[in-house]
Amino acid sequence: MISLVQFERDGRRDVAALGSAGTARIVAGAGTTLELARAALRAGTSLAETAAASLGESIDLAAVRLLAPIDHPDPAHLMVAGTGLTHLGSAEGRDKMHAAAAAGQATDSMRMFLMGYEGGKPAPGAIGAQPEWFYKGDGSTLVGPGEPLLRPAFAGDGGEEPEIAGIYLIDDKGQPVRLGFALGNEFSDHVTERVNYLWLAHSKLRQAALGPELLLGELPDDVRGQVAIRRKGAAVWEREFCTGEANMSHSLANLEHHHFKYAQFRRPGDVHVHFFGTATLSYSDGIETLPGDVFTITAAPFTLPASNPLAAGADEGLQAVRRL
């Protein structure tokens, strides 16, 4: 067993465990990943051990509707957030940043990157440099496999960001516990962000998509994947992306610390989906996405893709506030 998926069939929700051979078996008695995680906490066992103890019949995942690998019955108790400027990118890019900084021309983004590059992987038990952090929304902003990502009518664009997200549950004592990792698309508005970096907060208030799998255990240090945009069935852009700590300027432990150091993010029972960042964007290659485009992200050890079409959101006009 390497991962868990949530699915729906005939109006009923269940959880299945995926094996390395691509087989899937229902986890008996677990309607959701969250229920299974709570059971593991009560039993004092790992999520994988709890699932393995209740494996039932085989299931054909092609015959069911796959869901996002985590959700919460009250979306207000699920937070979606992330960190940026966390990946090394190309050596050339790093050299340019160092050269610019040495010449006194460093932008705030360059300085933030260099802080992470120099201090984002502290020794065990130490606290490293604080990363860039952003908020995306609550559980209502999460989009499941195959569902459309909506580009708001006011947005400058809607572009993909192929990333890994950590999935967490806060236990009854207020301690974050990591359930696993999901492949995702941290969908953002790069046109708005480019106008002024102080608009980053606005550009991130968008939906985000997760692939169907919750990868159990530790994330490999070096994760290599492919991201593609297809338009009317033809690829208009494809790139390899790299993630995992070997390709990052921050350790996962450092990113986790700087998110959960805030007491309001350690409320018992809450779920957190935290995106770790990327260095690969179609926007950087001059691609303009259009409604109907399909984003597809694949990466081992995930066996299933994160794939979602882009759709145009309705124009809701001026949001005038009335006095009560």
Side-chain angles (χ1 to χ4, degrees), residues 29-304:
T32 68
T33 303
L34 183 56
E35 290 175 9
L36 188 65
R38 288 170 172 166
L41 285 175
R42 289 193 299 269
T45 58
S46 72
L47 188 54
E49 290 169 336
T50 304
S54 300
L55 291 181
E57 63 179 294
S58 297
I59 181 73
D60 179 7
L61 296 183
V64 300
R65 184 169 78 92
L66 294 174
L67 307 173
I70 191 68
D71 56 1
H72 195 288
D74 181 355
H77 285 276
L78 190 156
M79 170 183 273
V80 186
T83 40
L85 298 172
T86 54
H87 282 62
L88 297 174
S90 67
E92 179 183 4
R94 295 201 304 276
D95 290 343
K96 286 181 179 178
M97 287 186 175
H98 280 289
Q105 300 170 353
T107 65
D108 286 339
S109 292
M110 287 181 178
R111 285 192 287 269
M112 180 67 73
F113 173 86
L114 291 174
M115 288 172 63
Y117 183 66
E118 295 164 359
K121 292 183 175 179
I127 296 174
Q130 182 169 261
E132 176 191 67
W133 182 94
F134 54 84
Y135 172 73
K136 287 194 67 69
D138 64 14
S140 66
T141 65
L142 271 186
V143 170
E147 297 177 359
L149 284 161
L150 294 180
R151 168 184 166 169
F154 57 77
D157 85 334
E160 86 299 326
E161 295 202 13
E163 302 188 23
I164 302 292
I167 311 298
Y168 307 88
L169 173 63
I170 312 302
D171 71 14
D172 291 341
K173 296 181 179 179
Q175 176 67 38
V177 292
R178 190 196 310 123
L179 308 185
F181 301 92
L183 189 62
N185 184 344
E186 194 267 289
F187 182 64
S188 298
D189 182 346
H190 305 105
V191 170
T192 293
E193 180 184 347
R194 187 174 182 178
V195 173
N196 189 305
Y197 77 95
L198 293 176
W199 281 1
L200 174 75
H202 289 277
S203 75
K204 295 296 187 180
L205 289 173
R206 302 290 187 271
Q207 293 178 322
L210 292 178
E213 287 180 75
L214 178 70
L215 181 69
L216 304 178
E218 296 299 324
L219 187 71
D221 285 342
D222 185 14
V223 177
R224 303 293 174 112
Q226 293 285 330
V227 53
I229 299 174
R230 289 182 170 80
R231 184 172 299 161
K232 296 181 179 179
V236 295
W237 179 81
E238 290 182 285
R239 284 280 299 274
E240 181 187 64
F241 72 95
C242 305
T243 188
E245 286 193 0
N247 302 296
M248 298 173 66
S249 52
H250 287 264
S251 65
L252 298 186
N254 192 51
L255 299 181
E256 291 171 337
H257 162 76
H258 284 293
H259 178 72
F260 290 112
K261 68 184 180 184
Y262 299 103
Q264 61 266 42
F265 294 169
R266 301 194 304 273
R267 185 170 55 187
D270 281 7
V271 171
H272 288 246
V273 174
H274 193 84
F275 285 91
F276 295 130
T278 188
T280 305
L281 308 170
S282 65
Y283 179 76
S284 299
D285 290 340
I287 300 297
E288 180 180 354
T289 59
L290 300 174
D293 288 354
V294 177
F295 305 113
T296 300
I297 303 167
T298 59
F302 299 92
T303 59
L304 300 172

